[in-house]
Amino acid sequence: MNSFSSSDTYRPGELFPTTLIEQPGVDVFVAVLDGEMVGAGVSVVHEGFGSHYWVGTPSAHRSRGAGRAVMLGSLAPLANLPVTLTASRLGRPLYESLGYTAVTSSTWWSSQ
């Protein structure tokens, strides 16, 4: 994958920088309900492995199938690959229901 420059900063109203979406092996999946985006996620394929990143839904649409729709759509093209993801506790029930097994937990730090 190519690196990103400082010009690839986030701008309100954008899901991901265009340069990310244009990278080989990177796909963005979204769930839309009544014209509103209710879930999204990124999948990456690199050297025979698939990974999921930034899978999420707005709080108003959680536990209503949006995350499952995003995951099922993004898993279909990865059916013949080993796939990993890093998830919050909130997403754990969904990922376990899709056959993922927790390997370990992690701690995330913030300066604020």
Side-chain angles (χ1 to χ4, degrees):
M1 267 191 177
N2 296 332
S3 61
F4 303 106
S5 71
S6 59
S7 64
D8 295 325
T9 57
Y10 171 79
R11 290 178 288 278
E14 290 183 358
L15 183 61
F16 301 106
T18 303
T19 52
L20 172 66
I21 297 167
E22 294 171 347
Q23 297 300 309
V26 175
D27 288 302
V28 174
F29 293 85
V30 298
V32 178
L33 178 65
D34 298 328
E36 179 183 2
M37 187 168 56
V38 297
V42 175
S43 69
V44 177
V45 174
H46 185 70
E47 296 185 3
F49 291 89
S51 297
H52 292 289
Y53 300 94
W54 304 301
V55 177
T57 58
S59 58
H61 295 282
R62 290 195 183 122
S63 299
R64 301 174 122 194
R68 181 172 300 280
V70 168
M71 286 300 296
L72 290 175
S74 64
L75 282 168
L78 306 176
N80 296 319
L81 298 176
V83 181
T84 64
L85 61 83
T86 302
S88 68
R89 288 185 193 128
L90 192 61
R92 188 173 181 159
L94 169 62
Y95 303 128
E96 287 179 343
S97 77
L98 294 172
Y100 285 88
T101 303
V103 176
T104 190
S105 62
S106 66
T107 301
W108 292 72
W109 299 87
S110 173
S111 62
Q112 298 183 10

